[in-house]
């Protein structure tokens, strides 16, 4: 019986992340998931997040000075924009720039992360 409940909770978290389409904190996920699964608590959200991470369905987005954020892994490579006013984080699609050329000559780039900071359209 607890597996069924767990499935509903994980499904609610997936639905929330898909609908909002931007990285969210665990607290934001809890608030939105509670509309789908009333009574879902923060401890349950953290347990479900952990399982979804283990299953590689969601990934953590770490931005200095912010609580960990979570997003679905099906988006492919992309960057993030942080609004300095409201603190929300948004996805920016990768434009396919060849960033390897920015590395010093002879260096090999294994991966990169780029975060933009500014004002979102709601705070402008």
């Amino acid at each position: 019986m607890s597996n069924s409940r767990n499935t509903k909770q994980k499904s609610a978290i997936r639905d929330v992340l898909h609908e909002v389409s931007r990285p969210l904190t665990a607290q934001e996920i809890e608030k939105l998931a509670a509309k789908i699964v009333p009574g879902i608590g923060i401890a349950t959200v953290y347990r479900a997040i952990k399982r979804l991470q283990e299953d590689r369905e969601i990934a953590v987005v770490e931005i200095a000075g912010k609580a960990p954020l979570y997003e679905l892994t099906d988006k492919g490579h992309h960057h993030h924009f942080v609004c300095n006013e409201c603190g929300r984080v948004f996805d920016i699609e990768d434009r396919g720039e060849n960033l390897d050329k920015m590395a010093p000559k002879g260096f090999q780039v294994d991966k990169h992360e780029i975060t933009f900071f500014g004002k979102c359209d709601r705070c402008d």
Side-chain angles (χ1 to χ4, degrees):
M1 186 165 164
S2 66
N3 269 349
S4 173
R5 184 173 172 204
N6 181 41
T7 301
K8 279 193 241 179
Q9 295 158 341
K10 284 175 32 177
S11 179
I13 290 170
R14 277 189 220 99
D15 290 348
V16 163
L17 290 171
H18 180 73
E19 287 175 28
V20 174
S21 193
R22 67 177 181 84
L24 299 173
T25 64
Q27 290 75 18
E28 290 172 316
I29 292 170
E30 176 194 20
K31 181 178 177 182
L32 295 170
K35 295 175 184 176
I36 302 167
V37 180
I40 190 170
I42 193 67
T44 301
V45 168
Y46 275 115
R47 281 192 300 275
I49 285 172
K50 182 179 177 187
R51 281 190 222 97
L52 289 165
Q53 281 183 286
E54 289 168 356
D55 294 342
R56 297 186 176 160
E57 292 185 55
I58 64 171
V60 66
V61 175
E62 295 187 39
I63 296 176
K66 296 192 78 52
L69 301 157
Y70 303 94
E71 66 183 1
L72 296 172
T73 57
D74 63 357
K75 297 178 182 191
H77 181 75
H78 63 281
H79 306 291
H80 295 100
F81 179 96
V82 179
C83 179
N84 292 325
E85 296 292 316
C86 68
R88 293 185 308 157
V89 177
F90 301 88
D91 291 334
I92 298 175
E93 290 181 32
D94 186 24
R95 302 283 187 238
E97 301 91 355
N98 189 354
L99 297 173
D100 293 346
K101 292 180 180 179
M102 294 177 71
K105 187 176 180 176
F107 286 53
Q108 179 181 337
V109 176
D110 292 326
K111 69 177 191 167
H112 68 271
E113 293 184 32
I114 297 174
T115 305
F116 297 89
F117 297 85
K119 273 191 203 178
C120 72
D121 57 352
R122 251 182 34 185
C123 292
D124 197 22

